[in-house]
Amino acid sequence: MDKSRYRPQEKKTAIKNSVGRILLAVLLLLIQFFWVWVLVTKLTEQYPVINIVISVFAVILVIAINENEKIMSLKAPTMILIMMAPVIGVLFFLLSEAMSNTIMMKRRFENNRLLTDSYIVPDKDIISSVPVPTYARDFSYIQDHCRYPVYKDNEVTYHADTTKALESQIEEISKAESFIFMEYHAIEDQKSFEGLKSALFERAAAGVEVRILYDDLGSFVFINHDFIKRMEAHGIKCRAFNPIMPFFNLFINNRDHRKITVIDGKVAFTGGYNIADEYFNITHPYGEWKDAGIMIRGSAVRSLTAMFLEMWNSISLKDVDHSVERFFSYDGSDIKAQGYIAPFADSPLDDEPTGENVYINVINSAVDHVWFITPYLIISDELKRALQIAAKRGVDVRIITPGKPDKKMIYQATRSYYSELIASGVKIYEFTPGFCHAKLCVADDVLAVVGTINLDFRSLYHHFENAVLMYDVPAIADIKKDFEVTMARSEDVTSRYNVRQKGIIRVVQSLLRLVAPLF
């Protein structure tokens, strides 16, 4: 076999072209926005009544936004922008909230969700068997309001080392007989993808249906659209989520941040890591990279299969799977295991902040401790208050953030929350060796969340995300151990940040926190 064809083919010139495409799109978007702003300004100068109409509309719009059920952290920046600069503010709102693209995408997702709903039917007897009422209610929220069932009898394997997770992923893919689905925010066609690519090509050649879905913006520094052609040349279907286009469309702000691999509907992988070299410490742009993930074997894989199909069918009008029954033939009845799990997805289009609500429920349920690992800490008042109240009632609340940032401005915003949380009794650790990208939560040794959801506005409100809530699953002990190991390698900065920053740093941090919900 000629293995040379499996080697990375993405050349530097291709990456430059991809970056150039993004820069050109941004430039054209700015030109279009500026052109509309100039046009409206000129019209208001020539016809003063237009200015009056815009001002009246701006007032009505601010009142309407204030009445919206969204949290104030999201509403306030838009309201301030509209009041300070009515023309720009109204334009921004219309582009972000009322564009036909966003409305169209909402309809597509709703319609495609209906295609899979009948294959992930909840069993209410499972929730009633959860022995602790508080945890049963946590699962009920996901099942009743987010339409993702709770499952029993699923094997969960936790991978604290992403290299081992990738090895396990390749091993399972190599055994695929029917289909392989992969959905990732970022894919880099380099060393980390080489083993996967070899296994995917081999399985596709054997007649296995293989599909890859990646986020166009998340992957733009790694690959360009030639990647799709190369995959298709080997029989792999490939799509880019929400391609960057040089036209007014603030749905561009909503990215696919999910990380999902599904094999034959029997095995699934998810967690914090993308398929790029830095996630496996092949390269070290920010020191040591800390990430994690899980493998699920059993009936709960059905929910992750449904998530993928909903996304796949929603981002393209061609080749929609109107019949998806073949992807749900496995029922997991051969697996017997301890505990309960609920894989769930979060969408910015449904006005339900699922990820944030699950985190708040876990915090509120905690009696002894609740610990988080997150790369960013830019949170709403609601989530901040939940953490503070938990600490004040004696719960051991700890948060691990990076010691080396990947985005310095965002790092300033993250640190701006430290003092308020610390004042309430929350302990803060920074991962000294480098950048922690894992998104983990563990509470009272029996409850855990593993997935893609950061503690920041982008993840909680603007991205498509996925995660798994687990109770009484043996793998939770491994998650707790990973927390302890990571904390031992982190610096306790609680005493250092027990007072707020002063001067220009505090001003910058306040401004960053004000605009963060917009983006």
Side-chain angles (χ1 to χ4, degrees), residues 127-423:
I127 286 186
S128 64
S129 69
V130 176
V132 181
T134 301
Y135 302 145
R137 287 192 290 271
D138 292 345
F139 281 115
S140 292
Y141 167 72
I142 294 174
Q143 183 164 288
D144 296 341
H145 295 278
C146 309
R147 295 157 59 194
Y148 286 103
V150 181
Y151 301 88
K152 291 178 66 176
D153 295 317
N154 283 262
E155 295 176 356
V156 180
T157 303
Y158 177 70
H159 290 290
D161 182 343
T162 51
T163 301
K164 292 182 179 178
L166 185 61
E167 290 172 356
S168 178
Q169 210 162 326
I170 294 170
E171 180 183 351
E172 294 296 331
I173 284 174
S174 300
K175 296 185 289 187
E177 298 177 348
S178 179
F179 66 91
I180 302 166
F181 294 158
M182 294 184 66
E183 178 181 351
Y184 285 86
H185 180 65
I187 295 177
E188 181 180 22
D189 195 0
Q190 291 294 335
K191 187 174 181 179
S192 59
F193 190 55
E194 194 168 356
L196 276 173
K197 185 165 61 175
S198 177
L200 292 170
F201 284 179
E202 190 276 328
R203 288 290 80 202
V208 174
E209 182 176 356
V210 182
R211 302 185 188 184
I212 297 176
L213 196 162
Y214 67 90
D215 185 86
D216 194 41
L217 183 60
S219 301
F220 87 92
V221 296
F222 299 131
I223 57 177
N224 67 11
H225 280 197
D226 288 343
F227 177 80
I228 294 178
K229 295 178 182 178
R230 292 200 305 279
M231 295 300 105
E232 290 177 342
H234 289 274
I236 295 174
K237 296 179 180 180
C238 189
R239 290 179 181 174
F241 173 84
N242 200 2
I244 305 299
M245 303 293 288
F247 306 107
F248 277 151
N249 173 21
L250 287 194
F251 179 66
I252 198 174
N253 194 40
N254 302 126
R255 308 312 312 178
D256 182 2
H257 196 241
R258 296 175 185 173
K259 289 94 176 169
I260 296 171
T261 292
V262 175
I263 302 149
D264 292 342
K266 299 178 179 180
V267 179
F269 292 82
T270 190
Y273 62 94
N274 287 296
I275 310 300
D277 285 358
E278 59 200 48
Y279 293 85
F280 307 97
N281 283 296
I282 297 170
T283 58
H284 303 85
Y286 314 107
E288 180 183 331
W289 193 284
K290 167 58 188 168
D291 224 317
I294 57 173
M295 179 180 74
I296 302 170
R297 191 184 302 273
S299 56
V301 175
R302 298 170 75 89
S303 287
L304 291 153
T305 304
M307 292 175 206
F308 178 91
L309 288 169
E310 179 187 357
M311 184 66 75
W312 180 268
N313 288 328
S314 296
I315 64 173
S316 177
L317 294 175
K318 64 179 182 178
D319 299 326
V320 175
D321 294 289
H322 294 291
S323 178
V324 296
E325 184 177 0
R326 68 188 186 278
F327 301 119
F328 296 94
S329 59
Y330 175 70
D331 63 4
S333 57
D334 58 321
I335 304 291
K336 299 299 177 184
Q338 178 182 328
Y340 302 79
I341 73 171
F344 64 92
D346 196 357
S347 167
L349 303 179
D350 61 6
D351 298 322
E352 180 75 22
T354 305
E356 182 178 50
N357 289 341
V358 169
Y359 281 149
I360 290 175
N361 286 342
V362 171
I363 294 166
N364 292 341
S365 299
V367 176
D368 180 73
H369 66 271
V370 58
W371 298 348
F372 286 89
I373 297 180
T374 178
Y376 315 110
L377 183 64
I378 307 173
I379 53 179
S380 67
D381 289 339
E382 288 77 4
L383 184 51
K384 181 179 69 175
R385 192 174 301 114
L387 290 165
Q388 291 173 317
I389 291 173
K392 287 179 178 179
R393 58 184 170 83
V395 176
D396 178 11
V397 183
R398 304 185 189 186
I399 302 174
I400 304 173
T401 62
K404 297 179 181 178
D406 65 335
K407 304 175 185 70
K408 292 185 179 180
M409 294 292 282
I410 301 301
Y411 201 45
Q412 286 297 323
T414 289
R415 283 180 161 175
S416 72
Y417 286 87
Y418 287 3
S419 60
E420 299 168 72
L421 294 170
I422 290 169

Side-chain angles (χ1 to χ4, degrees), residues 29 33 91-97 99 101-102 242 247-255 462 518-519:
L29 282 169
F33 191 92
L91 278 175
F92 178 86
F93 177 83
L94 293 177
L95 289 172
S96 60
E97 298 290 338
M99 279 294 288
N101 299 64
T102 304
N242 200 2
F247 306 107
F248 277 151
N249 173 21
L250 287 194
F251 179 66
I252 198 174
N253 194 40
N254 302 126
R255 308 312 312 178
H462 299 308
L518 291 175
F519 306 105

